[in-house]
Amino acid sequence: MEELRSTEILDKEIQEDARKKAEKILKNADAQVAQIAASVEQRLLETKNQKEIYYKELIDSFDKDIQASVPLEKQRYAVSFQNTAMTEAINSYLDKIGPDKKITLIAKLLKRAENALKGKKIYAVCNGFEAAKIKKMLEKELGKEAVLSCKADEANPDYEGCILETDDKSVKCRLTVQEIVDELVDEKRFELVSALFGGRLPE
């Protein structure tokens, strides 16, 4: 009988010990779960903050790029507007002076090519002018013997002026009104802007 009681007491002690161990394990598990949850929450918060900073920097950078590009686009527009206005003004003036004075201007372009054409025979085509008048100008500048022919350019009518090519095809040059206009816009920009806009870019 006494032995039976000892067994019961031993069982109770074992159960009590197991219960305490189980409680301890559960408490440790609860603490670990709480710690993991807190760690996850902290990481989520840190990630959220990092993303907010990243996207704010991205938006700020994008906004800065836009703000930086506005003056550049404005400047491009102003230069384009200037060029268009100057080109129109020059073309308007050239239209008024008539073909003979335009041919005189083309002759000035020809003088720059004289060294390349010296001693060579040329063929000429022209557009926007009488071929006879262009030929006369060429013969005056280069000599009659140098000009083999001058005729209207039926293949390429999209210019005003003449195109020269040597008989050996070693030299080809364009002498056009558009080249005169482009040169004036490039070289006389300040004077033209002053005349058209009072020296001031359009706002």
Side-chain angles (χ1 to χ4, degrees), residues 38-54:
S39 176
V40 169
E41 189 175 347
Q42 181 63 29
R43 285 182 185 176
L44 288 172
L45 185 61
E46 287 174 0
T47 302
K48 179 173 175 284
N49 290 338
Q50 286 172 359
K51 291 294 181 184
E52 284 177 353
I53 292 168
Y54 170 75

Side-chain angles (χ1 to χ4, degrees), residues 2-191:
E2 205 174 304
E3 192 177 321
L4 207 59
R5 277 191 202 136
S6 295
T7 303
E8 285 177 2
I9 291 168
L10 186 60
D11 285 345
K12 283 181 182 180
E13 286 177 353
I14 291 170
Q15 287 176 3
E16 182 63 21
D17 186 53
R19 185 183 65 76
K20 287 179 180 178
K21 284 181 180 179
E23 284 180 357
K24 187 176 180 181
I25 290 169
L26 288 172
K27 281 181 181 178
N28 288 339
D30 286 344
Q32 286 179 349
V33 168
Q35 188 176 359
I36 291 169
S39 176
V40 169
E41 189 175 347
Q42 181 63 29
R43 285 182 185 176
L44 288 172
L45 185 61
E46 287 174 0
T47 302
K48 179 173 175 284
N49 290 338
Q50 286 172 359
K51 291 294 181 184
E52 284 177 353
I53 292 168
Y54 170 75
Y55 286 117
K56 184 180 182 303
E57 288 176 350
L58 200 65
I59 291 167
D60 288 346
S61 175
F62 182 70
D63 186 56
K64 187 177 178 181
D65 288 344
I66 290 175
Q67 293 301 322
S69 69
V70 168
L72 184 60
E73 287 302 316
K74 186 177 178 182
Q75 185 180 14
R76 282 179 183 162
Y77 171 78
V79 170
S80 175
F81 180 85
Q82 271 191 329
N83 287 344
T84 300
M86 287 187 288
T87 300
E88 288 176 355
I90 294 167
N91 281 326
S92 177
Y93 169 76
L94 292 174
D95 287 341
K96 290 174 184 175
I97 67 173
D100 291 342
K101 287 189 177 179
K102 284 184 185 178
I103 290 174
T104 301
L105 293 173
I106 289 171
K108 289 183 179 180
L109 288 179
L110 176 59
K111 287 187 182 298
R112 298 177 189 175
E114 278 182 348
N115 287 336
L117 298 171
K118 192 173 182 179
K120 296 182 181 292
K121 308 288 186 182
I122 65 157
Y123 293 99
V125 290
C126 64
N127 193 61
F129 299 96
E130 292 178 26
K133 287 188 175 182
I134 292 292
K135 185 178 181 183
K136 185 178 178 181
M137 179 271 291
L138 293 172
E139 288 176 343
K140 181 182 176 184
E141 298 296 329
L142 301 173
K144 285 188 177 183
E145 69 286 348
V147 185
L148 297 175
S149 70
C150 182
K151 58 184 180 181
D153 190 350
E154 296 176 358
N156 181 23
D158 298 327
Y159 66 94
E160 189 178 12
C162 64
I163 298 173
L164 312 180
E165 186 172 22
T166 57
D167 60 345
D168 61 3
K169 299 189 182 301
S170 63
V171 180
K172 188 173 185 178
C173 60
R174 291 173 59 88
L175 310 171
T176 67
V177 171
Q178 187 59 50
E179 287 176 88
I180 296 167
V181 173
D182 292 344
E183 188 173 301
L184 285 170
V185 169
D186 287 340
E187 294 185 2
K188 304 295 182 182
R189 175 176 292 276
F190 179 77
E191 292 92 330

